[in-house]
């Protein structure tokens, strides 16, 4: 009788043998980036799951409780072989490394059924360059061979299961001249009413949108506030190779009546476009960011689509860009028809202001990307927005860290909720992985010192070692003794009963694989496996 790997696991007590099983031979395996809608069935690990509603990037094994998106239907027959999981944590995709310098290659490995991990192989260009059998799994490779290389990791568990991390591409260069990953946008809004042009870090931006130019109901334009400031901005930005667009609209107290009126007729749209093009060319601007907040589904959406199509034709004839700021998700998202995706260079997703407290969580960023890409927006045209301010106090980030420097390393000071350096870094990595850029509202809210959020974004985009270290407690200095760090007594296990019933709470610390991790926000994921966790220290 043939002894299978699954039988070995059963003998070890690692799983229970079911008395009844399901036929899963016609099911596709669950894919993290695929969109699933209610009623769609998948196989994941050893089980069959059915989606209850729209979902993407939500692991069925972790989101199948009664109140969650997946329903677990039962164990598959023939039972699929459970495999280990490995995620490449470093280096960053598209990062650059000077020849002969050390390159840290790091991976997180686990198993959905707690089978022990035997070792992790690290590969460069497909060849194994080192093996590590002790967590945390990490090796150092000396950069060699100018040009692009692929980096990957493969995990092997104690019963022979293998899994690969997939590849990341890095580039070995002759010197340390750094350029952004090809096509990756770093966009900042700059308001007319506050901030100094001299304070802008132009070397860390690709686009700046001056805010805001307001239209009238007949398609004419109101005088721009602080025109001299915009002219100064254009001159300084162009000297640094940064594009400048004019942002049209804005919140404006919720009054979008001018847009609704002129966009409803061909004559009104033509008048507006003629005036706007004259403004763009007169002031040597590089493009337009349409910030109509918000066209509603229905006739308003149709008029917005017509406006964007007609404006795009005129801008492209002059070599100018067209973008739009859009709501993160929800009803008014339907005011932007899918046809608009073809007419814009990219969309700026305003993934903030979700509520009046924790208004810009990492999950909200994930949901926003999933919403727009689920409707057909390409990765390259997706630009994730982050806030440089707090709610409900509406304080600038620079004000928060002036009150307490420790605020740079957390997302709340007890009364204000915002995005500190760890979350900004995590969202930038998310944008590198799933989008085509990252933007912020707005640049004058940033700190000019070492704790700059724009610097944090730029360093992640460039694959640089962070210049400002956060220890996970709100302080900038890393503790010297990991044993001194207090942790939750419940260590992480791949089971829904840790340590708060089914999750870790924001700021909660746990031990996992000889390291301490702190949750950046509410999470069910494996410590260190994604941006919801921050590494604190290693024993």
């Amino acid at each position: 009788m043939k002894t299978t790997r699954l039988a070995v696991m059963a003998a070890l007590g690692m799983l229970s043998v079911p008395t009844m099983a399901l036929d899963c031979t016609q099911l596709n395996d669950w894919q993290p980036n695929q969109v699933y809608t209610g009623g769609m069935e998948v196989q994941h690990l050893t089980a069959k799951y059915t989606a209850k509603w729209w979902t993407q990037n939500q692991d069925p094994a972790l989101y199948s409780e009664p109140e969650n998106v997946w329903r677990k239907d039962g164990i598959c027959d023939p039972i699929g072989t459970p495999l280990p999981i490995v995620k490449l944590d470093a280096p960053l995709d598209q990062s650059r490394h000077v020849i002969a310098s050390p390159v840290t290659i790091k991976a997180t490995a686990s198993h959905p059924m707690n089978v022990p991990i035997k070792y992790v192989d690290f590969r460069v260009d497909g060849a194994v360059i080192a093996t590590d059998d002790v967590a945390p799994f990490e090796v150092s490779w000396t950069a060699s061979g100018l040009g692009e290389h692929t980096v990957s990791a493969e995990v092997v568990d104690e019963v022979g299961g293998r899994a690969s991390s997939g590849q990341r591409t890095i580039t070995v260069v002759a010197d340390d001249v750094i350029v952004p990953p090809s096509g990756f946008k770093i966009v900042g809004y700059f308001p007319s009413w506050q901030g100094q042009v001299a304070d802008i870090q132009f070397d860390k931006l690709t686009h700046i949108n001056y805010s805001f130019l307001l239209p009238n109901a007949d398609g004419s334009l109101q005088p721009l506030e602080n025109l001299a400031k915009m002219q100064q901005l254009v001159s300084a930005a162009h000297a640094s190779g940064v594009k400048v667009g004019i942002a049209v609209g804005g919140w404006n107290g919720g009054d979008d009546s001018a847009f609704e009126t002129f966009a409803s007729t061909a004559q009104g749209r033509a008048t507006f476009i003629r005036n706007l093009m004259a403004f763009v060319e007169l002031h040597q601007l590089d493009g337009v960011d349409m910030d109509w907040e918000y066209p509603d589904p229905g006739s308003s959406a149709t008029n917005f689509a017509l406006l964007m199509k007609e404006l795009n034709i005129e801008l492209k004839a002059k070599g100018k860009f067209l973008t739009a700021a859009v709501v993160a998700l929800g009803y008014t998202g339907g005011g932007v028809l899918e046809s608009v995706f073809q007419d814009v260079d990219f969309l700026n997703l305003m993934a903030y202001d979700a509520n009046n407290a924790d208004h810009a969580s990492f999950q909200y960023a994930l949901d926003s990307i999933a919403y727009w890409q689920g409707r057909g927006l390409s990765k390259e045209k997706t630009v994730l927005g982050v806030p440089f301010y707090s709610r409900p106090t509406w304080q600038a980030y620079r004000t928060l860290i002036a009150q307490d420097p420790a605020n740079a390393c957390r997302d709340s000071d007890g009364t204000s909720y915002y995005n500190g350096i760890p979350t900004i870094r995590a969202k930038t990595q998310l944008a590198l992985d799933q989008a085509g850029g990252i933007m912020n509202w707005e640049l004058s809210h940033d700190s000019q010192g070492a704790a700059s959020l724009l610097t944090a974004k730029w360093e992640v985009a460039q694959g640089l070692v962070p210049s400002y270290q956060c220890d996970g407690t709100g302080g900038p200095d890393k503790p010297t003794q990991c044993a001194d760090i207090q942790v939750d007594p419940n260590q992480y296990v791949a089971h829904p009963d840790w340590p708060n019933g089914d999750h870790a709470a924001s700021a909660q610390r746990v031990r996992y694989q000889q390291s301490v991790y702190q949750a950046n926000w509410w999470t069910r994921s494996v410590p260190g496996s994604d941006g919801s966790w921050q590494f604190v220290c290693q024993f």
Side-chain angles (χ1 to χ4, degrees):
M1 178 179 178
K2 182 178 179 181
T3 301
T4 66
R5 176 170 176 264
L6 203 62
V8 173
M9 294 174 66
L12 293 174
M14 294 177 182
L15 56 84
S16 60
V17 179
T19 57
M20 296 185 63
L22 302 174
D23 181 2
C24 299
T25 56
Q26 302 301 314
L27 298 179
N28 293 322
D29 289 336
W30 173 75
Q31 301 295 326
N33 294 323
Q34 182 172 333
V35 172
Y36 296 93
T37 55
M40 295 182 69
E41 299 174 338
V42 298
Q43 179 176 345
H44 182 51
L45 303 177
T46 64
K48 174 189 172 185
Y49 295 87
T50 300
K52 299 178 187 177
W53 55 82
W54 190 100
T55 178
Q56 184 182 38
N57 287 318
Q58 291 177 297
D59 188 325
L62 299 177
Y63 292 85
S64 57
E65 299 87 343
E67 73 279 11
N68 240 313
V69 62
W70 290 101
R71 183 185 71 238
K72 185 175 182 180
D73 297 321
I75 301 299
C76 293
D77 181 19
I79 299 176
T81 304
L83 295 175
I85 300 168
V86 62
K87 175 182 178 293
L88 200 61
D89 300 317
L92 296 174
D93 192 39
Q94 303 299 326
S95 58
R96 295 160 60 91
H97 305 268
V98 178
I99 194 166
S101 67
V103 180
T104 297
I105 309 176
K106 185 176 180 180
T108 302
S110 61
H111 197 285
M113 303 186 74
N114 290 331
V115 177
I117 300 301
K118 189 173 183 180
Y119 61 83
V120 172
D121 280 338
F122 291 93
R123 299 174 182 266
V124 175
D125 297 327
V128 177
I129 55 113
T131 298
D132 191 359
D133 59 3
V134 178
F137 303 102
E138 182 176 338
V139 299
S140 181
W141 173 67
T142 300
S144 60
L146 295 176
E148 289 191 349
H149 299 270
T150 59
V151 179
S152 62
E154 184 179 59
V155 62
V156 178
D157 65 31
E158 287 289 356
V159 289
R162 292 176 176 267
S164 176
S165 65
Q167 295 181 342
R168 290 187 180 181
T169 300
I170 65 171
T171 303
V172 175
V173 296
D175 54 44
D176 59 357
V177 176
I178 301 295
V179 297
S182 177
F184 189 77
K185 280 81 67 176
I186 304 180
V187 184
Y189 284 82
F190 189 61
S192 62
W193 59 90
Q194 61 188 11
Q196 302 297 318
V197 172
D199 292 335
I200 297 175
Q201 301 178 72
F202 290 102
D203 59 333
K204 297 178 175 67
L205 293 157
T206 61
H207 298 71
I208 299 175
N209 289 324
Y210 190 74
S211 310
F212 290 104
L213 180 64
L214 295 175
N216 294 310
D218 62 356
S220 62
L221 303 176
Q222 297 180 25
L224 181 70
E225 180 181 27
N226 214 335
L227 176 60
K229 180 179 175 181
M230 187 193 74
Q231 293 170 329
Q232 181 187 3
L233 172 67
V234 171
S235 177
H238 285 176
S240 299
V242 178
K243 294 182 178 182
V244 180
I246 184 68
V248 183
W251 178 237
N252 195 32
D255 181 7
D256 66 345
S257 58
F259 285 103
E260 293 283 4
T261 301
F262 78 73
S264 65
T265 67
Q267 180 180 349
R269 295 192 299 272
T271 299
F272 171 76
I273 292 171
R274 183 173 60 253
N275 289 326
L276 184 57
M277 290 300 301
F279 182 92
V280 167
E281 294 192 70
L282 175 64
H283 299 295
Q284 300 180 341
L285 293 164
D286 300 291
V288 171
D289 181 70
M290 189 60 65
D291 196 359
W292 176 350
E293 299 185 21
Y294 302 99
D296 295 310
S299 60
S300 177
T302 300
N303 295 336
F304 177 71
L306 289 171
L307 174 64
M308 295 296 282
K309 183 177 184 63
E310 294 162 6
L311 179 57
N312 180 53
I313 292 171
E314 298 299 322
L315 286 167
K316 291 299 181 289
K318 299 293 185 180
K320 310 290 186 180
F321 70 76
L322 175 61
T323 62
V326 296
V327 68
L329 47 82
Y331 173 76
T332 49
V336 180
L337 300 180
E338 287 79 0
S339 64
V340 174
F341 301 169
Q342 307 304 315
D343 296 320
V344 295
D345 291 86
F346 53 88
L347 292 182
N348 293 305
L349 315 188
M350 294 188 283
Y352 37 78
D353 295 336
N355 50 52
N356 204 33
D358 187 12
H359 69 105
S361 68
F362 189 86
Q363 185 61 53
Y364 195 53
L366 285 170
D367 292 344
S368 181
I369 292 173
Y371 170 78
W372 288 101
Q373 292 184 356
R375 292 180 53 194
L377 184 66
S378 68
K379 173 183 176 181
E380 294 73 23
K381 291 189 177 185
T382 305
V383 174
L384 174 65
V386 298
F388 280 12
Y389 63 94
S390 68
R391 291 189 71 169
T393 58
W394 297 98
Q395 291 178 290
Y397 168 77
R398 56 180 166 77
T399 302
L400 292 165
I401 65 169
Q403 294 168 352
D404 183 354
N407 285 336
C409 291
R410 54 198 183 200
D411 290 344
S412 176
D413 64 356
T415 57
S416 301
Y417 296 85
Y418 54 96
N419 285 175
I421 286 176
T423 297
I424 290 295
R425 286 177 180 153
K427 286 187 177 182
T428 305
Q429 184 59 55
L430 173 65
L432 283 169
D433 294 340
Q434 298 188 21
I438 191 163
M439 74 85 169
N440 78 279
W441 178 268
E442 44 90 353
L443 291 171
S444 76
H445 286 157
D446 196 15
S447 165
Q448 299 304 309
S452 162
L453 295 180
L454 181 59
T455 296
K457 288 198 297 185
W458 179 77
E459 287 174 341
V460 173
Q462 303 292 355
L464 300 177
V465 175
S467 59
Y468 194 90
Q469 296 290 337
C470 290
D471 66 6
T473 67
D477 299 315
K478 195 170 183 176
T480 56
Q481 298 296 325
C482 193
D484 295 335
I485 298 294
Q486 294 183 347
V487 299
D488 188 281
N490 296 303
Q491 295 192 27
Y492 172 80
V493 292
H495 187 277
D497 291 330
W498 75 276
N500 303 308
D502 65 349
H503 67 279
S506 175
Q508 194 155 23
R509 298 194 196 117
V510 297
R511 285 193 177 95
Y512 179 63
Q513 294 186 338
Q514 299 177 308
S515 297
V516 173
Y517 293 89
Q518 175 168 304
N520 288 325
W521 47 81
W522 189 102
T523 179
R524 284 193 178 101
S525 66
V526 177
S529 66
D530 59 28
S532 66
W533 290 98
Q534 180 177 326
F535 173 81
V536 177
C537 60
Q538 179 181 343
F539 290 99

